[in-house]
Amino acid sequence: MTKHRVLASLGCALTAVLATAWSSAAPPTPAAPIAPAATTAPQRSRPAAATRPVRSDAVATRPVRSGAATTRPVRPDAATTRRARSDAATERSRHSDTTVRTHYGPVRGAAHDGYRTFEGIPYAAPPVGRLRWAPPHRAAHWSGARDATRTASACPQPAGEVPGGSTDEDCLHLNVTTPDGARPSRPKPVIVWLHGGGFTTGAGSSYDAHRMATRGDVVVVTVNYRLGALGFLAHGDLPGSGTFGLADQQAALRWVRAEIGAFGGDAHNVTLAGESAGGYSVCAQLASPAAAGLFDRAIIGSGPCTGRPDRPFAPFSVPLSAARATGADFAVRAGCGSDRDVMACLRRLDVSRLLAAQDTDQQPAHTTPLLPRDPAAAIAADRFHHVPVLIGNNHDEGNGWAAGIIQAGYPVTPGTWPDIAAAFFPGPGQAKAIVRAYPVHRTDGGPVFGAVIGDADFACPTARAESLLAAHVPVWSYEFADEHAPPLTPGTPPFPLGAPHASELPYLFDLGGRPRDLTPAQHRLADTMVDYWTRFARTADPNGPSSPPWPRRTVLSLAPDHIVPTGTARSRHHCAFWDSLR
């Protein structure tokens, strides 16, 4: 394999790895399908101190005088009776607050300090057997209260964010986090979060949303959707080719419209949000006619709608013809390429064999019924759902990939830089122009390579998407710029990473259930970001009295103690240069 092929393959592999560069605290435990209604719900690792249940018929006993022949129960005093009744009422209230009736059956979640969680709720039938590579079907009903106190399995994926990976196809579940004040009579705005991971890895359960729910007073829903070849395989005999994962997301949104009111969410105020592949998924749903009416606002993080195949670090979509060619290669690698019925053969295979045969990177297909146009073309042609948008990226998006490639044994020096640039930008004359615009000196190769990836794949495509969207809908733009953001991966990088891809996520969520390791100034920034995101979800305007002003038609730079709007934040990213290389 040539050095160019090695570097390009490594870049694609790092796309999925760095998009979800943390591990959950523990492997997810599949949720029990049905639990008896009378069973006490187990608590998660962070529960509020629960009041121990007291039986309603409990009777206090005390010994009688030592000379009595027997010890008999006596009537409790008034204080004991009041305490018992209060404890019983508290327990009944706690179960009432954590049991919610859906159209499929009741679910029982867990109460915490200021919020409630409902995990592992199925929004579609398990995509197994004949439903493997089929559009999502309705979930089955259940009787009794379903245990919603434990996370469900992640969708099949190699080891990474999910320790040990996953081979469980029964994965179309979502998780709901509600603030204590959320009630059907007092509904809260809803944020539906789509995880990143290169359409290959990730899980909704990796995103602990309790801070966003409590501080922002919103209901947060995190979603699993099919990944890899199981989510995006295309084949000539396969209806829905290349878009099964996107169809899952739409099924989850339909569930939210129908069911979230019972959890205290406002079904008429739903914000679809995501980062990396999740952000690009939001772009795809903006462009999908089938998503009409399923959400009211959009938040797009580090997944610019104008991604393209020749800029492979950011997510993008491919024509159906290209997706089918990739699918044919996949069938050959899986051992089904020459079978008379390729799909029947693939449906018989174990998940582990499918994971071993799939490409590292995956993309949804356009020119399909669900996604008729490439999202970039749809937005340019004003063929997208007109909802307010909050969109942005990180200042140093490419540094994580550059560091990983250097650590894999490919140093970026004045001598190697032309060859490395050509590996990722093989178009005629592109590498030479890039080397001139981004010269590498003796010691700065890594940051220069990171700037090229960040500018070409994220900053400038995001700026273009902002411009296209703002011609038709209100748009709020940001750049996350904390140069001391906590690292998401262990070890010492070969150069300071600044604010690389995904580094803003710990400011919005507790990743993998772990609390943030932030300085006081970073905590203030995290609170401000949550305020901006949730106010946008509430009113379509992130501004409020407790935060620095965020004017439209500017880019808000987000850094600790330095939150400033600027009209020139993107200009330093050489966007005019990259436009010239189209």
Side-chain angles (χ1 to χ4, degrees), residues 54-378:
V54 178
R55 292 175 49 195
S56 59
D57 61 348
V59 179
T61 60
R62 62 182 179 188
V64 298
R65 290 180 304 171
S66 59
T70 58
T71 300
R72 59 181 176 84
V74 298
R75 296 181 63 185
D77 57 41
T80 301
T81 300
R82 285 194 298 270
R83 284 196 299 272
R85 289 175 177 170
S86 175
D87 287 349
T90 299
E91 182 64 11
R92 286 195 299 271
S93 174
R94 185 174 71 85
H95 277 286
S96 175
D97 284 348
T98 58
T99 300
V100 172
R101 292 193 174 276
T102 75
H103 289 94
Y104 299 91
V107 295
R108 188 180 57 252
H112 308 276
D113 185 12
Y115 65 101
R116 298 173 298 157
T117 54
F118 303 85
E119 299 181 288
I121 303 174
Y123 66 85
V128 298
R130 65 181 180 83
L131 297 185
R132 181 188 277 181
W133 294 305
H137 283 53
R138 286 178 61 86
H141 291 71
W142 58 83
S143 60
R146 184 185 179 97
D147 182 7
T149 64
R150 293 176 292 169
T151 58
S153 293
C155 285
Q157 60 191 276
E161 174 185 338
V162 176
S166 173
T167 58
D168 189 351
E169 292 180 88
D170 183 3
C171 66
L172 298 186
H173 300 86
L174 51 76
N175 315 289
V176 180
T177 303
T178 73
D180 272 352
R183 296 290 184 272
S185 60
R186 301 173 58 191
K188 308 293 184 183
V190 180
I191 296 177
V192 177
W193 180 260
L194 304 177
H195 67 77
F199 294 113
T200 305
T201 65
S205 57
S206 294
Y207 298 82
D208 181 330
H210 79 276
R211 289 189 293 106
M212 183 177 288
T214 55
R215 182 175 179 87
D217 199 29
V218 297
V219 172
V220 184
V221 180
T222 63
V223 179
N224 287 355
Y225 55 93
R226 279 175 284 181
L227 302 167
L230 287 165
F232 299 96
L233 177 69
H235 190 272
D237 297 329
L238 195 58
S241 276
T243 58
F244 298 110
L246 299 180
D248 294 342
Q249 296 167 8
Q250 292 182 3
L253 287 167
R254 286 191 290 271
W255 184 96
V256 168
R257 285 293 201 206
E259 307 291 346
I260 204 64
F263 296 82
D266 186 349
H268 302 290
N269 187 359
V270 175
T271 296
L272 185 60
E275 180 269 346
S276 193
Y280 191 77
S281 294
V282 177
C283 295
Q285 302 301 351
L286 282 171
S288 173
L294 293 181
F295 57 98
D296 308 283
R297 322 193 201 294
I299 298 177
I300 302 166
S302 299
C305 303
T306 53
R308 41 194 270 196
D310 61 344
R311 309 285 166 86
F313 292 96
F316 55 92
S317 68
V318 296
L320 180 59
S321 57
R324 284 178 174 172
T326 299
D329 291 342
F330 166 78
V332 170
R333 290 193 299 272
C336 293
S338 59
D339 199 272
R340 184 174 180 179
D341 188 336
V342 171
M343 292 313 306
C345 176
L346 289 173
R347 287 190 172 105
R348 289 194 297 266
L349 296 182
D350 291 338
V351 171
S352 57
R353 186 165 175 180
L354 299 176
L355 293 177
Q358 73 181 21
D359 287 336
T360 302
D361 59 328
Q362 300 285 324
Q363 298 87 27
H366 63 257
T367 55
T368 61
L370 187 142
L371 194 60
R373 295 169 178 250
D374 181 357

Side-chain angles (χ1 to χ4, degrees), residues 22-66:
W22 60 88
S23 295
S24 299
T29 304
I34 298 176
T39 304
T40 302
Q43 299 292 304
R44 294 175 70 192
S45 58
R46 301 183 313 279
T51 303
R52 189 168 62 182
V54 178
R55 292 175 49 195
S56 59
D57 61 348
V59 179
T61 60
R62 62 182 179 188
V64 298
R65 290 180 304 171
S66 59

